[in-house]
């Protein structure tokens, strides 16, 4: 009886079980939001382990195995076109940190791959497998012969550009050995992986980190300067690639975790998958991007116009675009995301438990983009009309780029609409602008990569252990100086006036994290004092104090006492606990979908971003503020405790998106379960210590996120006291009781508007009274009647425009030009108007205004019938008007 093909989840389970049985600690996947400041996302399975592989942070275990979620969008344009390109993928990996090396890594990989399925392996036929090694790595080649019995022709040696790993900067490096599956002659030419043909699919890469590389550029241009003291193994097996091979389907998009979305896209569009290549590509794009977006949002990424949010927004919009090309112009996300949720929830249950929030974000983004497409089409239609009116056949590249970059309007949609209108698009100009944008992004990434390379200065310091934070219970802690860094270099001492980084064994000073700003304070010791400018965590487990030496000299191994500014810490604790209070109040009023998506707090101030797609009414803001202050009044007990992560979540503690949590977490309860969150910040001991919350603003930070800002404690009181003083002053000035001020002010505003209307009417009448005198001054200038006069000083350009257009109308249908100048707000302004007969004779207002403005020392222009200019030299008004007469031949 034929058994069912291995599911993706089963392949994952077999991999992890295999390595658990061989002494590996199984660790959970890290978030898609990478800790590495040079990366937007976790782009490879090795990213979470870089600090261990480079020696920056001591590894917690000698051997590890995991299944890591990854996002990679560099090849986004290839999605759907090849059998293996996907933006979200899962990398199975086994890791050795100074434990086993090449032989064991090769043995493990071969054993798992070739052990029959009924014996717990993956059941690959050894005859279908090829391997590559680095061309000079005879050791690995020998192990493949010994362990796997592979013939030499199926062990191919390749160069540094493909089979050598490094971070791209000086540091660990080493040869790779890759395992490929041969799909057979029906899929391409013979010759093995060296042919770089799609017939051979890479399924596993074994990296042997054994050397230290020096400076260099590119993948191959660097030298090896020595061996590492500890040799590491980093492997990665592409789960989706193994799944599509084991499930007997043609590509990545047809496996069990992806195909349901593809089928739903086919059902909605009425298209048959497999009937048309272009439609197939679009359905694959939909299947891939919906799954990727689902996983990103489950890790707390929200759509926005920058960074990670921009990548998510691009995935969602490409999905809408693909469905549009499949003939569907209505909303499809409710159906598509539900399919992806059901396909992924067995492995990632959070996509189901958090689906209300995820779907709210996705559906709102789709609605917004459908409206964007409508407005973008209007902008494009105008550009098409203007292009045609100018007698051109090509739409400008900068117009296409503006639509793409500013409005999120896809270039392929621009091409399609332009083609329907009989126009082409200047792709070379568009591509040049895109290349310029990408070049800037790459330069920024390279700069960040160089910056992270400098983190190696912390390696030895981190090797001495984690910095102990004592500030939860102490405001002053005696310790010793472990290290001093000046300008990125470790030094033995820092002198008066210098700015340096100080690493202590213990510290009471809070490092900026979890939305809470760093503490203020000092570090003191025998004969020296240091003003603390900032406190950060440059690498996991290490706290660095940026200081200025204000007195004396500090050296490594000196005794050092960290002293927290008590007033500042009190304010910071109030603000952080206040953030939790407002978050709980928001959820009480708006519901569980109003989930915190970011925060910042410091002494006296807090801001909180939350997922929501519409502004809060004044009544809602007042309700949230009242609930928050009632919680403060009720003097709720604040309890902090450390618990295993799973136990904390079981208690209902909220994990905030974008935050990283270890196996043991700190839970902060305010009023028991009323507010229960995972948080490493500092907090008050009871809610009454917060004092007061005063919401000062509520605003948008994107189509699906809002922001509230609040003053806290004494700062909240001072703000309200200032408002009280203003109200008292108004009440006294207007001789009106406080409660009647709004009505009194409204009456005054209404009276002022009525008076302004009357004044405007009088001024307009006064302006128009000048028309007869101007008409009398009309004379000939070439083929037209011309009125060119200095109107003196006027209140606004609108007055001058009214005068010009009225005179033009009174001059009748014969060719006529009116050019009037005036001083408006201490600056000269000239306005020129022409009638149709004058324009037919060649008189253009825009050109005349531009010439006059240049005489005034400025610039101007406009349409052929009405144009305006200005300058800085009011004494040149008569000369400017003369230039108009001269231009007309007068």
């Amino acid at each position: 009886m034929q058994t069912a093909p291995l599911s993706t989840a089963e392949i994952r389970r077999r991999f992890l079980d295999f390595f658990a049985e061989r002494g590996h600690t199984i660790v959970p996947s890290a978030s898609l939001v990478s800790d590495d400041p040079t990366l937007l996302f976790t782009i490879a399975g090795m990213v979470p382990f870089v600090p261990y592989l480079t020696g920056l942070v001591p590894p917690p275990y000698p051997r590890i195995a995991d299944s890591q979620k990854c996002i990679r969008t560099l090849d986004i344009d290839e999605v759907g076109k090849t059998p293996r390109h996907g933006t979200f993928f899962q990398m199975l990996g086994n890791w050795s940190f100074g434990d086993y090396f090449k032989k064991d890594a090769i043995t493990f990989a071969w054993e798992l791959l070739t052990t029959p399925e009924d014996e717990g392996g993956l059941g690959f036929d050894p005859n279908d497998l090829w391997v590559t090694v680095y061309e000079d790595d005879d050791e690995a080649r020998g192990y493949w012969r010994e362990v796997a019995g592979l013939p030499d022709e199926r062990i191919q040696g390749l160069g540094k550009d493909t089979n050598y790993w490094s971070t791209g900067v000086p540091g660990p490096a080493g040869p790779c050995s890759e395992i490929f599956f041969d799909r057979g002659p029906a899929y391409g030419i013979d010759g093995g992986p060296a042919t770089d043909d799609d017939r051979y699919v890479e399924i596993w890469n074994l990296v042997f980190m054994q050397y230290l590389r020096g400076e260099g550029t590119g993948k191959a241009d660097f030298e090896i300067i020595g061996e590492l003291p500890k040799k590491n193994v980093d492997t990665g097996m592409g789960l989706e690639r193994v799944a599509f091979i084991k499930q007997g389907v043609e590509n990545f998009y047809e496996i069990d975790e992806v195909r349901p979305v593809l089928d739903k896209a086919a059902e909605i569009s009425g298209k048959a998958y497999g009937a048309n290549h272009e439609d197939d590509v679009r359905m694959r794009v939909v299947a891939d991007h919906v799954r990727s977006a689902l996983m990103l949002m489950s890790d707390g990424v929200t759509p926005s116009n920058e960074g990670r949010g921009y990548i998510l927004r691009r995935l969602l919009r490409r999905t809408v675009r693909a469905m549009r090309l499949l003939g569907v112009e209505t909303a499809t996300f409710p159906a598509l995301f539900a399919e992806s949720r059901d396909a992924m929830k067995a492995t990632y249950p959070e996509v189901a438990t958090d689906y209300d929030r995820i779907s709210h974000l996705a559906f709102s983004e789709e609605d917004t983009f459908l409206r964007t497409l409508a407005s973008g089409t209007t902008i494009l239609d105008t550009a098409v009309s203007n292009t045609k009116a100018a007698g051109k056949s090509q739409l400008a590249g900068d117009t296409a780029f503006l639509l793409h970059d500013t409005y999120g309007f896809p270039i392929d949609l621009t091409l399609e609409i332009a083609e329907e209108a009989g126009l082409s698009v200047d792709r070379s100009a568009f591509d040049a602008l895109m290349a310029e944008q990408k070049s800037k992004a790459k330069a920024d990434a390279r700069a960040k990569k160089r910056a992270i390379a400098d983190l190696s200065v912390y390696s030895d310091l981190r090797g001495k252990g984690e910095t102990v934070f004592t500030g939860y219970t102490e405001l002053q802690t005696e310790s010793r100086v472990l290290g001093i860094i000046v300008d990125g270099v470790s030094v033995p001492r820092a002198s008066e006036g210098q700015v340096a980084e100080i690493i202590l064994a213990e510290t009471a000073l809070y490092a900026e994290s979890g939305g809470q700003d760093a503490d203020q304070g000092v570090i003191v010791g025998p004969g020296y004092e240091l003003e603390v400018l900032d406190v950060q965590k440059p690498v996991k487990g290490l706290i660095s104090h940026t200081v200025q030496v204000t007195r004396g000299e500090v050296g490594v191994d000196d005794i050092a006492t960290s002293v927290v500014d008590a007033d500042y810490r009190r304010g910071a604790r109030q603000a952080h606990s206040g953030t939790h209070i407002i978050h709980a109040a928001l959820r009480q009023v708006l519901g569980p979908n109003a989930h915190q998506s970011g925060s910042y707090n410091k002494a006296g101030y807090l801001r909180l971003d939350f997922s929501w797609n519409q502004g809060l009414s004044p009544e809602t803001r007042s309700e949230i503020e009242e609930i928050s202050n009632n919680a403060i009044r009720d003097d709720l007990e604040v309890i902090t405790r450390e618990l295993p992560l799973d136990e904390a979540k079981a208690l209902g503690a909220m994990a905030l998106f974008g935050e990283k949590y270890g196996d043991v977490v700190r839970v902060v309860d305010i009023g028991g379960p009323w507010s229960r969150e995972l948080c490493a910040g500092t907090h008050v001991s009871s809610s009454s210590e917060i004092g007061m919350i005063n919401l000062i603003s509520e605003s948008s930070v994107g189509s699906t996120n809002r922001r509230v800002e609040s003053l806290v404690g004494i700062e909240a009181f001072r703000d309200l006291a200032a408002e009280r003083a203003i109200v008292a002053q108004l009440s006294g000035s207007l001789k009106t009781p406080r409660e009647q001020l709004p009505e009194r002010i409204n009456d005054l505003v209404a009276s002022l508007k009525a008076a302004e209307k009357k004044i405007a009417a009088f001024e307009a009448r006064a302006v128009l009274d000048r028309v007869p005198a101007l008409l009398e001054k009309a004379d000939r200038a070439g083929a037209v009647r011309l009125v060119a006069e200095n109107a003196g000083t006027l209140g606004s350009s609108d007055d001058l425009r009214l005068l010009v257009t009225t005179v033009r109308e009174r001059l009748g249908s014969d060719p006529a030009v009116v050019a009037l100048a005036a001083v408006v707000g201490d600056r000269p302004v000239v306005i020129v108007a022409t009638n149709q007969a004058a324009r037919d004779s060649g008189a253009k207002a825009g050109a005349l205004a531009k010439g006059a403005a240049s005489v005034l020392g400025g610039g101007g222009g406009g349409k052929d019938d009405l144009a305006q200019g200005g300058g800085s030299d009011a004494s040149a008004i008569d000369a400017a008007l003369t230039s108009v007469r001269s231009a007309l031949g007068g």
Side-chain angles (χ1 to χ4, degrees):
M1 180 174 113
Q2 186 175 6
T3 58
L6 296 178
S7 68
T8 305
E10 176 61 16
I11 295 168
R12 181 191 297 104
R13 186 193 66 77
R14 290 186 179 214
F15 178 92
L16 296 177
D17 286 352
F18 177 90
F19 283 100
E21 291 168 1
R22 286 154 183 79
H24 291 68
T25 300
I26 307 303
V27 298
S29 172
S31 170
L32 287 168
V33 178
S34 174
D35 280 331
D36 188 333
T38 70
L39 300 172
L40 287 177
F41 299 117
T42 301
I43 60 170
M46 54 84 69
V47 167
F49 301 108
V50 167
Y52 308 144
L53 296 170
T54 59
L56 191 60
V57 176
Y61 312 104
R63 51 176 74 182
I64 284 173
D66 72 330
S67 174
Q68 176 60 48
K69 300 178 290 186
C70 304
I71 284 279
R72 192 178 296 169
T73 58
L74 283 177
D75 298 323
I76 194 169
D77 292 329
E78 296 301 311
V79 170
K81 300 174 184 177
T82 74
R84 60 183 186 274
H85 276 102
T87 49
F88 172 81
F89 60 97
Q90 299 158 90
M91 190 63 70
L92 303 170
N94 58 289
W95 314 80
S96 167
F97 306 110
D99 189 3
Y100 61 83
F101 201 48
K102 288 183 186 178
K103 184 175 183 179
D104 284 339
I106 289 171
T107 301
F108 291 153
W110 190 255
E111 183 181 349
L112 176 59
L113 288 173
T114 59
T115 296
E117 288 183 19
D118 58 6
E119 296 177 22
L122 298 181
F124 280 93
D125 185 337
N127 294 319
D128 291 333
L129 301 178
W130 292 65
V131 299
T132 62
V133 296
Y134 175 53
E135 56 193 359
D136 294 337
D137 192 358
D138 293 333
E139 184 183 15
R141 186 186 295 273
Y143 287 138
W144 280 114
R145 291 195 198 100
E146 175 188 340
V147 171
L150 284 173
D152 284 342
E153 60 268 21
R154 296 225 311 277
I155 308 172
Q156 296 185 321
L158 300 177
K160 256 187 182 180
D161 57 336
T162 58
N163 276 60
Y164 214 92
W165 176 87
S166 81
T167 60
V169 294
C176 306
S177 183
E178 298 174 332
I179 307 171
F180 290 79
F181 175 78
D182 179 3
R183 304 180 77 196
Y187 292 91
I189 60 174
D190 198 3
T195 63
D196 198 26
D197 191 83
D198 280 345
R199 168 175 169 173
Y200 302 92
V201 178
E202 179 196 340
I203 56 175
W204 208 335
N205 184 18
L206 315 178
V207 178
F208 308 121
M209 272 175 246
Q210 60 186 116
Y211 299 115
L212 190 66
R213 63 154 280 186
E215 295 284 353
T217 58
K219 290 186 175 182
D221 182 21
F222 56 83
E223 64 172 337
I224 299 301
I225 58 178
E227 290 207 358
L228 292 174
K230 286 187 177 182
K231 298 175 181 180
N232 302 323
V233 170
D234 154 13
T235 84
M237 181 165 76
L239 177 55
E240 284 81 3
R241 293 189 184 187
V242 173
F244 91 69
I245 293 168
K246 294 305 298 178
Q247 292 174 18
V249 295
E250 290 298 308
N251 53 57
F252 176 100
Y253 316 98
E254 297 176 16
I255 66 171
D256 57 334
E257 288 189 349
V258 185
R259 180 65 186 253
V261 183
L262 189 154
D263 289 339
K264 181 58 69 172
E267 177 189 326
I268 294 170
S269 64
K271 307 278 189 179
Y273 182 65
N276 176 279
H277 174 69
E278 289 188 352
D279 285 345
D280 288 353
V281 170
R282 290 160 186 159
M283 291 181 210
R284 293 173 195 152
V285 167
V286 170
D288 170 84
H289 287 8
V290 166
R291 185 170 80 135
S292 300
L294 176 78
M295 299 309 299
L296 281 171
M297 288 187 285
S298 74
D299 272 357
V301 181
T302 59
S304 70
N305 286 329
E306 59 185 15
R308 299 180 180 96
Y310 176 75
I311 299 297
L312 171 60
R313 174 162 286 167
R314 188 179 180 204
L315 291 169
L316 293 169
R317 292 185 168 188
R318 279 173 58 92
T319 303
V320 174
R321 172 64 180 145
M323 290 303 297
R324 182 187 176 103
L325 291 172
L326 288 168
V328 184
E329 298 191 6
T330 55
T332 61
F333 282 8
L336 296 173
F337 272 83
E339 291 291 340
S340 191
R341 172 202 62 199
D342 293 343
M344 299 299 294
K345 65 184 180 183
T347 304
Y348 302 104
E350 61 269 21
V351 301
T353 56
D354 200 28
Y355 188 69
D356 283 348
R357 182 189 63 86
I358 294 169
S359 60
H360 174 75
L361 289 171
F363 302 167
S364 296
E365 187 68 16
E366 182 179 33
D367 290 341
T368 299
F369 187 50
L370 287 172
R371 291 194 297 272
T372 295
L373 286 176
S375 60
T377 302
T378 301
I379 295 167
L380 181 55
D381 287 345
T382 302
V384 167
S385 297
N386 292 340
T387 302
K388 285 185 163 184
K392 299 177 181 178
S393 61
Q394 190 176 61
L395 191 71
D398 56 357
T399 299
F401 182 75
L402 175 72
L403 283 163
H404 165 82
D405 194 52
T406 303
Y407 297 98
F409 202 76
I411 180 60
D412 49 357
L413 185 55
T414 299
L415 291 168
E416 178 186 305
I417 293 174
E419 184 179 356
E420 289 170 356
L423 298 176
S424 62
V425 175
D426 187 350
R427 277 306 296 266
S428 60
F430 174 83
D431 291 341
L433 289 166
M434 285 294 293
E436 181 182 351
Q437 185 186 63
K438 288 181 179 178
S439 176
K440 289 178 181 177
K442 286 181 179 178
D444 184 51
R446 283 195 296 271
K448 287 180 177 178
K449 196 165 194 176
R450 285 194 295 272
I452 198 65
D454 295 337
L455 290 178
S456 59
V457 71
Y458 301 107
S459 179
D460 290 341
L461 297 169
R462 181 60 182 82
K464 296 176 182 178
E466 295 192 19
T467 308
V468 177
F469 175 62
T470 63
Y472 292 132
T473 56
E474 300 177 7
L475 294 180
Q476 184 170 315
T477 295
E478 184 178 293
S479 182
R480 66 185 183 89
V481 178
L482 294 182
I484 302 173
I485 301 168
V486 176
D487 295 330
V489 178
S490 287
V491 296
R493 311 194 71 75
S495 303
E496 188 169 323
Q498 278 190 297
V499 173
E501 288 183 69
I502 302 293
I503 311 297
L504 305 177
E506 301 89 20
T507 181
L509 290 153
Y510 184 83
E512 181 181 357
S513 59
Q516 182 174 328
D517 208 355
D519 271 335
Q520 294 180 3
V522 295
I523 298 173
V524 297
Y528 70 86
E529 183 170 328
L530 316 175
E531 179 188 356
V532 176
L533 307 177
D534 194 13
V535 191
Q536 295 290 331
K537 297 178 179 178
V539 297
K540 185 178 180 181
L542 195 71
I543 295 177
S544 169
H545 311 76
T546 300
V547 303
Q548 181 160 34
V549 184
T550 54
R551 181 174 62 83
E553 184 179 74
V554 60
V556 174
D557 286 329
D558 282 356
I559 297 297
T561 301
S562 54
V563 182
V564 179
D565 181 319
D567 286 341
Y568 186 87
R569 170 66 74 79
R570 182 185 301 109
R573 292 167 64 214
Q574 289 174 320
H576 205 151
S577 296
T579 304
H580 287 221
I581 292 275
I582 291 177
H583 188 204
L586 276 167
R587 292 169 64 82
Q588 183 173 323
V589 173
L590 302 178
N593 283 337
H595 201 293
Q596 180 176 329
S597 56
S599 68
Y600 172 73
N601 49 77
K602 62 179 182 178
Y605 168 85
L606 71 86
R607 71 166 184 252
L608 186 147
D609 296 347
F610 60 99
S611 52
W612 202 250
N613 64 351
Q614 59 188 19
L616 305 184
S617 68
E619 295 76 18
T620 300
R621 281 180 56 178
S622 294
E623 185 180 1
I624 291 166
E625 189 174 50
E626 183 172 352
I627 290 171
S628 299
N629 283 297
N630 282 342
I632 293 171
R633 177 203 61 191
D634 291 344
D635 196 22
L636 303 175
E637 186 178 14
V638 179
I639 297 175
T640 60
R641 47 197 168 140
E642 291 191 346
L643 297 171
L645 179 59
D646 291 341
E647 185 178 336
K649 287 185 175 180
L651 286 172
M654 278 190 295
L656 302 183
F657 297 113
E659 290 296 312
K660 308 297 186 298
Y661 301 104
D663 295 334
V664 176
V665 294
R666 195 162 178 266
V667 180
V668 178
D669 289 351
I670 301 179
W674 187 76
S675 169
R676 178 170 288 158
E677 297 187 18
L678 305 184
C679 181
T682 62
H683 288 274
V684 297
S685 57
S686 67
S687 63
S688 61
E689 291 180 36
I690 297 171
M692 180 188 298
I693 281 173
N694 174 15
L695 289 183
I696 55 174
S697 78
E698 187 270 337
S699 59
S700 169
V701 285
S703 60
T704 55
N705 277 284
R706 306 293 299 179
R707 169 174 293 171
V708 291
E709 295 179 272
S710 176
L711 298 176
V712 185
I714 191 65
E715 294 300 327
F717 169 77
R718 286 170 179 160
D719 184 70
L720 291 173
E723 286 191 6
R724 181 177 61 190
I726 292 170
V727 169
Q729 185 178 354
L730 286 172
S731 183
S733 298
L734 298 176
K735 295 181 173 54
T736 303
R738 182 179 65 178
E739 60 274 10
Q740 295 176 17
L741 274 177
E743 184 180 353
R744 174 68 172 140
I745 291 172
N746 286 337
D747 289 343
L748 287 173
V749 169
S751 297
L752 181 60
K753 286 182 177 178
E756 287 173 344
K757 264 188 180 178
K758 286 182 181 180
I759 293 169
F762 285 129
E763 289 178 343
R765 184 69 263 165
V767 168
L768 293 176
D769 285 345
R770 302 176 63 177
V771 170
L774 289 169
L775 288 170
E776 291 179 1
K777 295 184 179 181
D779 59 2
R780 304 296 301 182
V784 304
R785 292 183 70 196
L786 171 66
V787 175
E789 293 294 326
N790 184 342
T793 300
L794 292 177
S796 70
S797 296
D798 290 341
D799 290 341
L800 185 60
R801 188 175 295 106
L802 174 64
L803 195 56
V804 169
T805 53
T806 304
V807 171
R808 177 181 62 183
E809 290 169 6
R810 301 283 181 86
L811 285 171
S813 59
D814 290 339
V817 175
V818 181
L820 299 182
V823 174
V824 177
D826 297 326
R827 294 179 66 85
V829 176
V830 61
I831 297 180
V832 181
T834 62
N835 64 10
Q836 185 61 54
R839 293 192 291 276
D840 291 343
S841 69
K844 309 293 185 184
L848 295 170
K850 184 175 182 181
S854 67
V855 177
L856 297 172
K863 296 182 179 180
D864 291 345
D865 63 330
L866 185 67
Q868 178 175 326
S872 56
D873 185 4
S875 67
I877 284 180
D878 290 341
L881 294 170
T882 299
S883 75
V884 174
R885 183 178 297 278
S886 299
L888 292 169

